[in-house]
Amino acid sequence: MVQDSIRVLQAQGYKVTKPRRQVLEILEEAEESLSPYDIQRLLRQQGKHLNHVTIYRILDLFCSLNLVHRILLSGGFVKCTLSNKEGCHRFMVCYHCGATQEFVDQQLCLQESKSTQNLGFHTQYHFSESSGLCSACYKKQLQKQEEAQPQSNR
Amino acid sequence: MVQDSIRVLQAQGYKVTKPRRQVLEILEEAEESLSPYDIQRLLRQQGKHLNHVTIYRILDLFCSLNLVHRILLSGGFVKCTLSNKEGCHRFMVCYHCGATQEFVDQQLCLQESKSTQNLGFHTQYHFSESSGLCSACYKKQLQKQEEAQPQSNR
DNA sequence: CCGTAATCGCAACACTGTTGCATTTAAGCT
DNA sequence: AGCTTAAATGCAACAGTGTTGCGATTACGG
């Protein structure tokens, strides 16, 4: 919820401004990650104009507060959906529709830390993203394949 | 070895050109990931001039052949050190000196696939980078801390 | 050594991200 | 509600990153 993020801003002594609300709302609605310029475009379509510098600065702030994460595979940003759950926040990204889903897995974190430790590394943070098909796009693809080769026996 | 990469190029029907050799050599020597412009700068210091477009195209080709990987945390490129080992190639990146180390961990891959599958996702590949301190930088940091508070009892 | 397809260089451009400074605004205080 | 002011935004200008088209060059097989 946007409201939760606003409370975090207030609690940390940051002002709740119109641009910040607008960016939060846009990210809240989005299914896929959005670049700063995507956000600007979407807002413009609603008649709201923000300077791209402002959007960059807002995203920097939100990331530093963990209200938003950057997806490395796409370079875009998504609203965090897990509040402050333990462990690093991981992402699945559908390479067909772009949809993202966030999750944590403490087991994975532990195992990952162990792996890197064995190699003499003192890990601070894991970045983990999986690229694949979301269930919806997977089904669509199966259907298309069947249509392409009906009753095929190969 | 550069020679191995050259054999891959030949085997796939790509020409072995001077620019391609030069980029391979630069990446072979580097400890950290290099951006296309880093590569251009380093080559220029050796009196070798490559157009940045050429470097981009060479890196694209090398990535498609898995001779080189892109590090998303830094946006730079590194030469693959594992040839064609099974499983996704993971990276540790030292946030102090920038050194990278590549590794694979089939256990991790399996567990990761299971995790995402449970969430309805059909994963194609994992992308995984860990940020932390390499053993050398970790030791350096410990020393610094001791110098800063000698015989401290806190 | 020659012919040619692959590769490279160049120019121009599009996108992404940053800095400094003047202007505006949120929010606390009467 | 109006006043104050530190925080935030807008603007302009710029730096870095990545792409496209096309003519010139080059690796490599014959």
Side-chain angles (χ1 to χ4, degrees):
Chain A
M1 272 301 300
V2 168
Q3 209 49 46
D4 298 330
S5 303
I6 288 177
R7 262 190 287 274
V8 172
L9 284 179
Q10 287 171 331
Q12 306 283 329
Y14 293 102
K15 289 187 181 174
V16 178
T17 64
K18 203 159 62 170
R20 287 179 181 166
R21 282 178 189 280
Q22 292 173 343
V23 170
L24 280 174
E25 281 160 17
I26 285 289
L27 286 173
E28 181 77 31
E29 294 165 17
E31 304 272 323
E32 347 82 44
S33 67
L34 300 176
S35 78
Y37 287 96
D38 288 335
I39 293 172
Q40 191 178 45
R41 225 168 286 132
L42 290 168
L43 283 171
R44 195 159 40 219
Q45 287 171 13
Q46 304 179 4
K48 299 163 186 170
H49 289 260
L50 286 190
N51 191 280
H52 71 280
V53 181
T54 300
I55 298 174
Y56 274 97
R57 294 199 267 230
I58 288 174
L59 291 171
D60 282 349
L61 173 65
F62 288 174
C63 281
S64 76
L65 297 173
N66 277 311
L67 297 176
V68 159
H69 300 296
R70 165 157 234 175
I71 305 292
L72 295 183
L73 280 174
S74 63
F77 295 84
V78 294
K79 197 161 170 310
C80 175
T81 58
L82 302 176
S83 58
N84 288 325
K85 264 196 191 163
E86 297 277 319
C88 78
H89 293 201
R90 299 163 186 280
F91 290 92
M92 304 179 302
V93 183
C94 177
Y95 63 77
H96 187 258
C97 71
T100 65
Q101 197 173 328
E102 192 177 0
F103 68 105
V104 296
D105 186 325
Q106 295 209 38
Q107 264 301 107
L108 268 177
C109 272
L110 278 173
Q111 210 180 320
E112 233 166 26
S113 293
K114 220 189 299 172
S115 268
T116 54
Q117 209 170 358
N118 287 342
L119 290 155
F121 217 78
H122 295 259
T123 299
Q124 197 169 73
Y125 200 84
H126 309 289
F127 290 87
S128 167
E129 298 175 12
S130 296
S131 178
L133 284 173
C134 69
S135 54
C137 288
Y138 183 70
K139 279 177 202 158
K140 272 184 217 158
Q141 194 181 276
L142 280 185
Q143 284 175 7
K144 263 194 193 168
Q145 280 176 6
E146 279 166 22
E147 283 167 26
Q149 345 175 323
Q151 294 112 31
S152 161
N153 288 323
R154 308 183 223 170
Chain B
M1 272 300 300
V2 168
Q3 209 49 45
D4 297 329
S5 303
I6 287 176
R7 264 190 287 275
V8 172
L9 283 180
Q10 288 171 330
Q12 307 282 329
Y14 293 102
K15 290 186 178 173
V16 179
T17 64
K18 203 159 63 171
R20 286 178 181 167
R21 283 179 188 280
Q22 291 173 344
V23 170
L24 279 174
E25 281 160 16
I26 285 289
L27 286 174
E28 182 78 32
E29 295 165 17
E31 304 272 324
E32 347 81 44
S33 67
L34 300 176
S35 78
Y37 287 95
D38 288 337
I39 293 171
Q40 190 178 44
R41 225 166 287 133
L42 289 168
L43 283 171
R44 194 158 40 218
Q45 287 170 12
Q46 305 179 4
K48 299 164 186 169
H49 289 260
L50 285 191
N51 191 280
H52 73 279
V53 180
T54 300
I55 299 174
Y56 274 98
R57 294 200 266 231
I58 288 174
L59 291 171
D60 281 350
L61 174 65
F62 288 175
C63 281
S64 76
L65 297 173
N66 276 311
L67 298 175
V68 159
H69 299 294
R70 163 155 238 178
I71 305 292
L72 295 186
L73 277 175
S74 63
F77 295 85
V78 295
K79 199 163 168 311
C80 176
T81 58
L82 302 176
S83 58
N84 288 325
K85 263 195 193 163
E86 298 276 320
C88 78
H89 293 202
R90 299 164 187 279
F91 289 92
M92 303 178 303
V93 182
C94 177
Y95 62 77
H96 188 257
C97 71
T100 65
Q101 197 173 330
E102 193 176 359
F103 68 106
V104 295
D105 186 325
Q106 295 209 37
Q107 264 301 107
L108 266 178
C109 274
L110 278 174
Q111 210 181 320
E112 239 167 21
S113 293
K114 219 188 301 173
S115 268
T116 52
Q117 210 172 353
N118 288 341
L119 290 155
F121 218 75
H122 295 258
T123 299
Q124 195 169 72
Y125 74 88
H126 308 289
F127 154 79
S128 165
E129 295 178 11
S130 296
S131 178
L133 285 172
C134 69
S135 53
C137 288
Y138 183 70
K139 278 177 202 156
K140 270 184 219 159
Q141 194 182 276
L142 279 185
Q143 283 173 10
K144 263 194 193 166
Q145 280 176 6
E146 278 166 22
E147 283 167 27
Q149 349 175 319
Q151 296 112 27
S152 161
N153 288 325
R154 310 182 223 171

